Amino acid sequence: MTVTLQDLRLADPRLSRFEPMRRIICFDDFDRGYCGWTQLVGNYEHTLDSMTPSYAAHTHPQLATVSHWDAGTHGGVDGTYALKIATRPKRGIRSTAIKRLTFRQAGPIRLEFYFTFKPEATELRLSETDVRSVGFLYDLQTGHEQDGLRVMPHIRFLNAEDGRHIQRWQYKDETTPLRAIGTEGKTATHDHLAPFGWKDIPGGEQKLCYNEIPTKINWHYMRFDFDLAAMRMIEMQCNDRRYDLAGIPSIVIPAMRNLWCMLNLVFFAEAETDKRVFLYIDSVCLSGEF
C-alpha cells in the first residue's frame, strides 16, 4: 500500500478538517498556547503618546474557554481553548490579534481557520446586531528593494450597521496617509483599519449561523487563497460559499525600509454598540504551494 501525504493528513483529526496546500507553514491549535499570536501594538518613538489612538485601544488576545454565565464552558471545536479577540465596550472601537512571520518563497498561500463571534452576554436578548464586523488581513511586503511594495488584502464580514443586520463580505483598497513617528526618520504609521473605504464583494451576502440566545455559538470554516508572487487575491470560502476574488484589489503602498518579505496575519473585531464583542478563533492553518 502506498501512503500519500494526503492520507497522512486525513488520518490526523487536527488537520483533516483543513485542506492545506503542499507545505504547512504553521498550524496553530490554541490548546497548545498562543502559538505566536499577540497584540497589534501601534508604532511609537520615545513616548507611547505618539501612538495612533485607534491602535492604543487594542487589547491583547486571550486564551479562552468560551465561558458563558448560563451554561458554563463551551470550549473550542475539539478542545478546551480558543483565541479570543475582545474589544472595549465602546461603539466603533476595534481590537486585533497578529502573528508576525516572513516568507521564504513567493508563491500561492492558503489561510484556513474556524471562527465564531458574539457580543458580551450582558442582556437577555439575542443581540445579533451588536457586533459590527469581524475580519482578517495579510500585511505583506515584497522581498526586493527594486519596485518594492507593501500589500495589504483586507476582508471583513459586515454583520451590522446602524442597528441593521447586514451580513455581507467586504474588502478594502485604501488607507490613511502615512504619518511620520518621532524625529529619527525610522518609523511611520497609517491606520489601514480606519472605518472608511470598505466596498462590497460582488455576491458577498451570506447568512451565517447565529444561534437563538446570546450565549450560543456555532463555528464557521474560512479559507483564503492568495498569490505572493503576483500579490493578488485568488479565492475565499466561508462554509459552503465560495467567492472569486481574482479581480478584487488590495491596499498597496510603497515598501517600508525594514519590512522585507513580511508575512503578517491579522484578525480583528469591531463593536457596533457600547458593549464588548468577541471574535473567537479555534485553530489556524497557513500553508503554501512550494
Side-chain angles (χ1 to χ4, degrees), residues 24-277:
I24 293 177
I25 300 169
C26 60
F27 168 65
D28 301 337
D29 182 340
F30 298 108
D31 289 317
R32 297 186 289 112
Y34 280 100
C35 300
W37 290 88
T38 187
Q39 179 181 349
L40 176 52
V41 178
N43 291 341
Y44 57 87
E45 187 177 286
H46 301 310
T47 172
L48 294 179
D49 292 337
S50 61
M51 191 184 303
T52 300
S54 58
Y55 287 104
H58 292 172
T59 60
H60 197 287
Q62 302 168 333
L63 295 178
T65 58
V66 197
S67 297
H68 300 300
W69 66 269
D70 56 356
T73 297
H74 187 289
V77 171
D78 66 351
T80 302
Y81 292 100
L83 190 72
K84 174 182 175 182
I85 295 101
T87 71
R88 301 179 190 274
K90 182 178 180 182
R91 184 176 189 267
I93 208 163
R94 70 171 188 253
S95 195
T96 60
I98 186 170
K99 181 163 183 164
R100 302 181 185 278
L101 302 168
T102 54
F103 62 85
R104 62 181 179 181
Q105 183 171 323
I109 57 174
R110 171 172 292 172
L111 175 67
E112 298 175 276
F113 58 93
Y114 283 81
F115 74 99
T116 191
F117 58 90
K118 277 286 186 177
E120 189 169 22
T122 57
E123 300 177 88
L124 298 178
R125 52 187 295 271
L126 186 58
S127 305
E128 75 277 14
T129 59
D130 288 346
V131 178
R132 177 175 295 174
S133 76
V134 296
F136 59 93
L137 64 100
Y138 286 137
D139 190 0
L140 310 166
Q141 185 157 305
T142 52
H144 303 284
E145 293 190 36
Q146 184 177 3
D147 300 323
L149 294 172
R150 187 172 177 183
V151 181
M152 308 178 75
H154 285 49
I155 301 290
R156 79 169 180 176
F157 183 73
L158 179 61
N159 178 65
E161 192 171 47
D162 298 326
R164 296 178 297 118
H165 210 189
I166 306 296
Q167 297 184 291
R168 179 183 300 134
W169 290 103
Q170 297 183 316
Y171 71 96
K172 193 175 189 186
D173 60 3
E174 57 182 310
T175 183
T176 61
L178 283 177
R179 177 175 68 88
I181 297 286
T183 58
E184 298 182 10
K186 297 180 180 180
T187 306
T189 190
H190 64 114
D191 193 359
H192 52 92
L193 281 171
F196 67 84
W198 289 99
K199 301 173 183 177
D200 294 343
I201 291 175
E205 297 80 12
Q206 184 171 7
K207 304 297 185 184
L208 295 184
C209 183
Y210 194 94
N211 223 308
E212 295 95 341
I213 63 173
T215 58
K216 290 182 179 179
I217 63 169
N218 287 76
W219 295 99
H220 308 281
Y221 168 76
M222 172 60 71
R223 172 182 58 83
F224 178 55
D225 291 351
F226 190 88
D227 187 346
L228 288 173
M231 283 293 177
R232 66 179 182 89
M233 298 187 237
I234 300 173
E235 186 183 70
M236 79 173 192
Q237 176 182 349
C238 181
N239 291 342
D240 62 340
R241 295 282 303 278
R242 294 172 180 258
Y243 302 92
D244 183 0
L245 303 181
I248 302 296
S250 302
I251 295 172
V252 180
I253 61 176
M256 303 295 192
R257 64 192 294 269
N258 55 356
L259 299 179
W260 305 108
C261 290
M262 183 169 66
L263 172 53
N264 290 350
L265 290 68
V266 178
F267 295 116
F268 63 91
E270 300 176 290
E272 177 61 17
T273 64
D274 293 335
K275 183 186 293 186
R276 294 199 304 165
V277 303

